[in-house]
Amino acid sequence: MPITELCTEEEIKHLVHSFYAKVRVDPMLAPVFASHVQDWDAHLPKMVDFWSSVLRKTARYRGTPMPTHAALPGLTPTLFERWLELFRATTAAQPNQAFRERADEVARRVAQSLWFGYQLYREPDREPRALTSA
Ligand code: HEM
């Protein structure tokens, strides 16, 4: 039985590169990424691997996003919500509807869980708050 793929590797690459092109000029997010990403030529392929693993089950990404984000000082719900807003603005330009919907859904869930984890790590005595736009 032929397997229907959600999306191609090219679609993922295009999504990831378009998204981070927006991030890198965004007044809110650009400074955070500029001060923590030393090497975009390494970050972008890693993010392509992440999305390829999630959406195409290629298992290329082997990292652990939680500690990476927990180590970033000053993350806020506003930053996560802006991240999601830019991500959705990028997927909205995608003609492949199933890919768009699945990518948005995964982004929403991962953003929510990174934000919960971040709060538990940074402020363990405080009740964690949910993202409002997620
Ligand atoms: C406020 C929102 C966010 C900020 C500021 C942020 C920032 C960053 C930064 C600075 C890095 C490290 C890059 C490097 O070392 O080269 C990173 C890594 C990463 N981010 Fe985010 N991120 C955010 C949200 C998200 C979300 C919502 C996702 C997934 C849907 C995500 C997925 C990842 C992944 C997979 C990595 C690679 C982790 C690793 O293997 O080391 N991030 N992020």
Side-chain angles (χ1 to χ4, degrees):
M1 195 167 78
I3 297 168
T4 311
E5 292 200 333
L6 180 70
C7 60
T8 64
E9 204 58 37
E10 270 316 301
E11 284 175 307
I12 293 202
K13 206 169 164 189
H14 183 257
L15 172 68
V16 167
H17 284 250
S18 317
F19 171 62
Y20 286 101
K22 286 188 172 63
V23 164
R24 292 177 77 173
V25 294
D26 183 67
M28 217 183 270
L29 289 172
V32 183
F33 280 85
S35 55
H36 296 288
V37 178
Q38 269 81 40
D39 184 0
W40 280 96
D41 291 341
H43 184 60
L44 291 175
K46 196 195 283 185
M47 298 313 297
V48 170
D49 284 350
F50 170 78
W51 284 104
S52 176
S53 296
V54 176
L55 300 175
R56 304 186 76 240
K57 310 283 181 239
T58 53
R60 290 206 306 261
Y61 176 73
R62 301 264 175 206
T64 47
M66 195 57 242
T68 304
H69 294 86
L72 301 174
L75 295 192
T76 61
T78 312
L79 285 174
F80 275 98
E81 278 152 11
R82 180 66 184 151
W83 191 106
L84 279 174
E85 194 179 2
L86 282 189
F87 191 84
R88 288 169 183 151
T90 316
T91 55
Q94 255 305 319
N96 177 344
Q97 189 190 342
F99 169 45
R100 188 170 71 227
E101 289 175 358
R102 183 76 187 129
D104 283 350
E105 179 60 18
V106 171
R108 184 185 68 77
R109 284 196 209 153
V110 177
Q112 191 72 266
S113 88
L114 286 176
W115 171 235
F116 269 113
Y118 188 80
Q119 294 174 90
L120 289 170
Y121 178 82
R122 295 259 164 183
E123 304 175 303
D125 297 330
R126 195 168 158 178
E127 191 64 30
R129 293 144 290 159
L131 295 174
T132 48
S133 74

